[in-house]
């Protein structure tokens, strides 16, 4: 959206004020003074800051889980009065995870189109990160293409965990393989940033 309207980057004073309001509202929620509007203010201000920090380049996926949690905060406040606690929490966690993977897959398709599925896109990332396992794989163009296709299919397909719970363990197994593969081939991921 920011790319379409081309606003100026906010001044340091404006950013400090927005962050100050965000801290005060988070404090209200933390001290159990949580009016329903507080969740909306947190979501809007956090997304406003994220938009300016990440709208002009590739999204930093380390912030994606927190961003999805912020997106479901208003739903959380609504669910407080409409659902039992265990169902609400578990359902929102599933929704946040599914949306995170879906957004990552859509970002690839929207930024690179079908070129992402070719071996060239993934090979470029392998060369950029210079991990030994990834560099050894560069000799096998067909395998890199297959991994790139598998990446997109996994990220876009993970959302089906919401509708078909019987496949949950299959998708979670694929998620472990996916993250192990990105760690081995690209060096992406650690205890803080899985």
């Amino acid at each position: 959206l920011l790319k379409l309207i081309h606003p100026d980057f906010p001044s340091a004073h404006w950013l400090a004020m927005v962050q100050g309001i965000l801290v005060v509202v988070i404090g209200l929620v933390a001290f159990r003074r949580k009016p329903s509007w507080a969740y909306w203010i947190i979501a809007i201000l956090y997304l406003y800051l994220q938009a300016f920090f990440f709208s002009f380049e590739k999204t930093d996926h380390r912030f994606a889980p927190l961003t999805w949690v912020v997106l479901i905060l208003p739903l959380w406040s609504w669910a407080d009065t409409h659902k039992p606690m265990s169902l609400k929490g578990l359902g929102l966690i599933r929704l946040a995870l599914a949306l995170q993977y879906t957004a990552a897959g859509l970002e690839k398709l929207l930024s690179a189109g079908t070129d992402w599925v070719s071996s060239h896109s993934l090979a470029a990332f392998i060369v950029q990160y210079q991990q030994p396992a990834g560099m050894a794989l560069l000799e096998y163009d067909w395998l890199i293409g297959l991994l790139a296709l598998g990446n997109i299919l996994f990220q876009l397909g993970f959302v089906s965990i919401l509708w078909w719970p019987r496949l949950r363990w299959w998708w979670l197994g694929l998620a472990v393989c996916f993250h192990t593969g990105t760690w081995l081939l690209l060096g992406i991921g650690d205890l803080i940033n899985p």
Side-chain angles (χ1 to χ4, degrees), residues 91-102:
L92 291 176
I93 289 169
R94 286 180 184 150
L95 177 65
L97 281 172
L99 290 176
Q100 180 179 338
Y101 283 113
T102 303

Side-chain angles (χ1 to χ4, degrees), residues 2-103:
L2 294 180
K3 288 181 182 179
L4 295 175
I5 59 176
H6 300 289
D8 292 331
F9 196 79
S11 68
H13 176 72
W14 176 254
L15 286 176
M17 186 178 73
V18 169
Q19 288 173 334
I21 294 169
L22 189 58
V23 167
V24 168
V25 176
I26 289 171
L28 288 173
V29 171
F31 290 108
R32 305 205 189 278
R33 307 246 189 264
K34 52 180 183 176
S36 61
W37 57 264
Y39 293 104
W40 286 98
I41 298 294
I42 291 169
I44 290 166
L45 292 179
Y46 183 81
L47 292 174
Y48 172 79
L49 292 172
Q50 287 287 85
F52 273 106
F53 292 132
F54 298 118
S55 282
F56 305 103
E57 59 183 70
K58 189 176 183 320
T59 302
D60 187 340
H61 287 95
R62 292 176 293 179
F63 294 96
L66 185 56
T67 301
W68 287 112
V69 167
V70 167
L71 284 173
I72 62 175
L73 274 177
L75 294 175
W76 192 286
S77 68
W78 177 82
D80 264 344
T81 57
H82 294 84
K83 297 265 185 191
M85 183 61 148
S86 61
L87 291 176
K88 172 189 73 176
L90 198 54
L92 291 176
I93 289 169
R94 286 180 184 150
L95 177 65
L97 281 172
L99 290 176
Q100 180 179 338
Y101 283 113
T102 303

Side-chain angles (χ1 to χ4, degrees), residues 74-155:
L75 294 175
W76 192 286
S77 68
W78 177 82
D80 264 344
T81 57
H82 294 84
K83 297 265 185 191
M85 183 61 148
S86 61
L87 291 176
K88 172 189 73 176
L90 198 54
L92 291 176
I93 289 169
R94 286 180 184 150
L95 177 65
L97 281 172
L99 290 176
Q100 180 179 338
Y101 283 113
T102 303
L106 286 175
E107 179 193 9
K108 287 175 180 68
L109 289 178
L110 292 173
S111 64
T114 56
D115 288 341
W116 177 259
V117 182
S118 75
S119 60
H120 304 295
S121 294
L122 183 56
F125 281 104
I126 290 173
V127 170
Q128 178 183 356
Y129 290 109
Q130 296 284 314
Q131 293 297 310
M135 297 302 287
L137 208 65
L138 286 176
E139 296 178 30
Y140 306 99
D141 195 48
W142 65 271
L143 185 55
I144 294 174
L146 190 62
L147 289 172
L149 176 63
N151 178 11
I152 292 290
L153 293 176
F154 166 74
Q155 289 180 326

